[in-house]
Amino acid sequence: MPSPRDPRTPVAPDYTPDERDLLRAVRHLVRADRDMRTRLSGAMRVNPTDLRSLRHVIRVVEEVERGESPSDSPGVTPRRLADHLGISTAAVTVLVDRLVASDHLERRPHPRDRRSVLLVPTERARREMAEHLADMHQRMKEIAAAVPDEARPALVEFLRSLTQEMERGTLDLGRP
């Protein structure tokens, strides 16, 4: 068992300085992303889950509008939104009621399923999202463009692999 002063523990293995810098940069990125989303939800006067919902609905609708989606229905069903958020359909109903009341979402009849509705963003939601994010996305694009072409595949693979490992959802907690 390592001593309390030894930095090599099961939680903090013996990383090289470069490995530690990479993982620290990812941690800082995740924290900055969370903080940005908190600021954005405050500016739009919606809670963070509502913001995730809006971003998802807007993204799906824009993919359909650009022809990048196999679906031809420009909207998201409440069931699909619940699945995306990992919450119950009852919780989604409350969330959607809030976003409809705040003029961020609209319910529209589903074109092929009379029992269902499609959720679509209002012009207000699209405008607010664009106003708050357009400048930041332009700066992010410039930062991405500055990454050397030959470094991009390795960087993308590193981030994808790290994401997949974190999404596995398994933690070795050991035996009690």
Side-chain angles (χ1 to χ4, degrees), residues 103-170:
D103 191 35
H104 286 101
L105 281 184
E106 293 177 1
R107 288 181 178 100
R108 293 194 182 154
H110 195 290
R112 290 182 305 284
D113 183 353
R114 292 185 355 206
R115 298 167 297 151
S116 187
V117 296
L118 287 177
L119 306 171
V120 296
T122 62
E123 285 308 311
R124 174 188 177 183
R126 287 182 185 230
R127 184 182 66 251
E128 285 183 12
M129 200 71 74
E131 286 172 358
H132 292 296
L133 294 177
D135 185 54
M136 183 189 60
H137 279 292
Q138 180 58 40
R139 292 189 315 265
M140 288 169 57
K141 182 184 182 324
E142 292 167 5
I143 292 167
V147 174
D149 290 345
E150 62 276 5
R152 291 176 185 184
L155 184 56
V156 168
E157 180 56 30
F158 165 71
L159 293 172
R160 282 188 182 146
S161 296
L162 197 58
T163 300
Q164 287 172 349
E165 185 59 35
M166 295 172 88
E167 287 177 339
R168 277 185 1 160
T170 58

Side-chain angles (χ1 to χ4, degrees), residues 36-49:
M36 180 273 305
R37 291 173 193 278
T38 299
R39 289 189 309 274
L40 179 58
S41 66
M44 291 183 66
R45 295 188 176 109
V46 297
N47 71 45
T49 303

Side-chain angles (χ1 to χ4, degrees), residues 28-126:
H28 290 182
L29 173 64
V30 169
R31 186 177 306 127
D33 181 69
R34 184 190 61 230
D35 293 347
M36 180 273 305
R37 291 173 193 278
T38 299
R39 289 189 309 274
L40 179 58
S41 66
M44 291 183 66
R45 295 188 176 109
V46 297
N47 71 45
T49 303
D50 292 0
L51 179 65
R52 275 185 63 208
S53 303
L54 282 173
R55 289 183 65 137
H56 179 66
V57 171
I58 290 170
R59 184 174 28 257
V60 168
V61 168
E62 288 177 350
E63 287 171 359
V64 170
E65 290 171 349
R66 289 189 305 262
E68 298 171 359
S69 171
S71 173
D72 60 348
S73 299
V76 176
T77 64
R79 169 83 259 164
R80 292 211 184 251
L81 183 57
D83 291 345
H84 174 76
L85 297 172
I87 62 177
S88 70
T89 53
V92 161
T93 299
V94 173
L95 179 150
V96 169
D97 286 346
R98 243 188 344 262
L99 290 172
V100 167
S102 68
D103 191 35
H104 286 101
L105 281 184
E106 293 177 1
R107 288 181 178 100
R108 293 194 182 154
H110 195 290
R112 290 182 305 284
D113 183 353
R114 292 185 355 206
R115 298 167 297 151
S116 187
V117 296
L118 287 177
L119 306 171
V120 296
T122 62
E123 285 308 311
R124 174 188 177 183
R126 287 182 185 230

